[in-house]
């Protein structure tokens, strides 16, 4: 055996595994799964509520500038980022963002009667585009629960040397 060789690495059959396998990952309990699902459902419902209320309030006027629509877009950022922080995952941030986008886009469609909740005004465009950009920004600002690059190297072992 070469003195520079790592004693933990061996090619012998039946050799004992390394003594330090690393920290064990705790298994998820059924209660934790139910609580995670309930929190995602609650954040989806909150995304729907913010979208409905914002769709009707975005056209309020504050002079010539669409300040209420911009403030509602910032509220959407806070909702998405807060959900990501509370759940500790990007999925938790994605759920209210997706609910907000779906409801907002549905409310921006013209009905057969000609009714329209979010009109094609500057305020409407600031609300829709700003809200989508805010949702994406809130999702991107949420750190991933796994280490960077884990999606690429999952299952591979790291050898420090």
């Amino acid at each position: 055996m070469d003195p520079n060789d790592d004693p933990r690495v061996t090619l012998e059959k039946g050799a004992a595994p390394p003594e330090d396998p690393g920290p064990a990952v705790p298994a998820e309990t059924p209660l934790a799964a139910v609580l995670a699902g309930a929190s995602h459902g609650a954040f989806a419902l909150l995304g729907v509520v913010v979208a409905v209320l914002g769709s009707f309030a975005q056209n309020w006027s504050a002079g010539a500038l669409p300040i209420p629509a911009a403030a509602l877009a910032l509220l959407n950022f806070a909702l998405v980022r807060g959900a990501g922080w509370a759940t500790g995952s990007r999925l938790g941030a994605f759920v209210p963002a997706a609910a907000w986008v779906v409801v907002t886009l549905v409310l921006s469609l013209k009905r057969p009667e000609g009714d329209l909740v979010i009109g094609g005004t500057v305020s409407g465009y600031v609300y829709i585009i700003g809200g989508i950009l805010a949702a994406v920004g809130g999702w991107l600002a949420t750190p991933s629960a796994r280490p960077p690059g884990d999606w690429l190297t999952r299952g591979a072992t790291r050898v420090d040397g």
Side-chain angles (χ1 to χ4, degrees), residues 21-134:
V25 177
E28 185 175 7
T29 63
L31 179 62
V34 168
L35 289 176
S39 68
H40 287 95
F43 282 123
L45 184 62
L46 191 58
V48 168
V49 168
V50 168
V52 169
L53 293 178
S55 295
F56 285 102
Q58 54 84 24
N59 207 19
W60 292 346
S61 63
L65 298 175
I67 294 173
L72 289 167
L74 290 176
L75 175 66
N76 191 31
F77 174 83
L79 168 67
V80 172
R81 182 62 187 100
W85 172 80
T87 60
S89 69
R90 282 192 168 178
L91 177 63
F94 176 77
V95 169
W100 183 90
V101 168
V102 168
V103 170
T104 299
L105 292 181
V106 167
L107 289 176
S108 69
L109 297 175
K110 189 179 283 191
R111 295 182 36 90
E113 301 85 20
D115 296 340
L116 190 62
V117 177
I118 302 173
T121 61
V122 172
S123 180
Y125 288 127
V126 166
Y127 177 68
I128 292 173
I129 296 171
I132 290 173
L133 291 175

Side-chain angles (χ1 to χ4, degrees), residues 8-22:
R8 296 177 294 170
V9 178
T10 181
L11 297 177
E12 297 176 25
K13 286 188 176 181
E19 294 173 11
D20 183 20

